[in-house]
Amino acid sequence: MAEAQQTVERSGDWLAHAEMNVLQGASGRWTREELAGATLYTSTEPCPMCTGAIGWSLNRLVYGLSQAAMYRLFPMEEAPPRFVEPWECRRLLERLHPPMEVVGPLLEEEAARPHEAWLERWLRGRA
């Protein structure tokens, strides 16, 4: 088992999403063949960057909060950079050969809580 969190603010590295961090750590511990049989569990539907990395590395993704639900939490004028419309990771991952299993969204209300807390901190920091 491997675990990670996003470290964007702490590191200043905009690529340091939790999914990227866990994949980088896991790639040093397990072979590509071992990782191909793994499942990644994440609180939020992965962004396009993370979706690509997940697609090249694993065969199953389970996520909580959809991008669409996350977008409803963040008013466009207050949000960090993002797409104008929500991204759907499933549209890419299910087109892989073989198709990747994608499970989610699950427990969106619970999965939204950390994002709501982060948004409050982020908005306070901008005030």
Side-chain angles (χ1 to χ4, degrees):
M1 182 172 96
E3 190 174 307
Q5 60 186 357
Q6 73 90 355
T7 55
V8 171
E9 288 86 12
R10 185 174 62 226
S11 68
D13 178 358
W14 288 101
L15 303 179
H17 295 190
E19 297 88 348
M20 297 296 286
N21 289 342
V22 77
L23 290 173
Q24 288 175 339
S27 69
R29 292 176 60 186
W30 293 288
T31 67
R32 186 174 176 96
E33 292 75 25
E34 290 169 324
L35 285 176
T39 299
L40 186 132
Y41 295 88
T42 184
S43 62
T44 308
E45 183 172 9
C47 74
M49 173 186 66
C50 295
T51 297
I54 292 164
W56 289 120
S57 305
L58 309 171
N59 73 349
R60 186 168 186 255
L61 169 69
V62 177
Y63 68 90
L65 188 68
S66 68
Q67 288 286 320
M70 188 175 71
Y71 274 38
R72 289 191 294 273
L73 292 175
F74 291 84
M76 182 59 86
E77 60 278 359
E78 297 294 339
R82 68 176 188 194
F83 288 97
V84 174
E85 295 180 8
W87 162 259
E88 294 179 25
C89 69
R90 177 176 274 107
R91 295 180 73 190
L92 173 69
L93 296 174
E94 290 180 344
R95 295 180 59 104
L96 295 173
H97 180 74
M100 176 180 249
E101 182 182 0
V102 179
V103 179
L106 301 171
L107 303 170
E108 285 195 287
E109 188 174 312
E110 292 88 340
R113 289 186 189 124
H115 293 280
E116 292 164 345
W118 182 89
L119 177 60
E120 287 179 32
R121 287 191 315 272
W122 188 74
L123 290 172
R124 275 196 309 268
R126 295 185 64 210

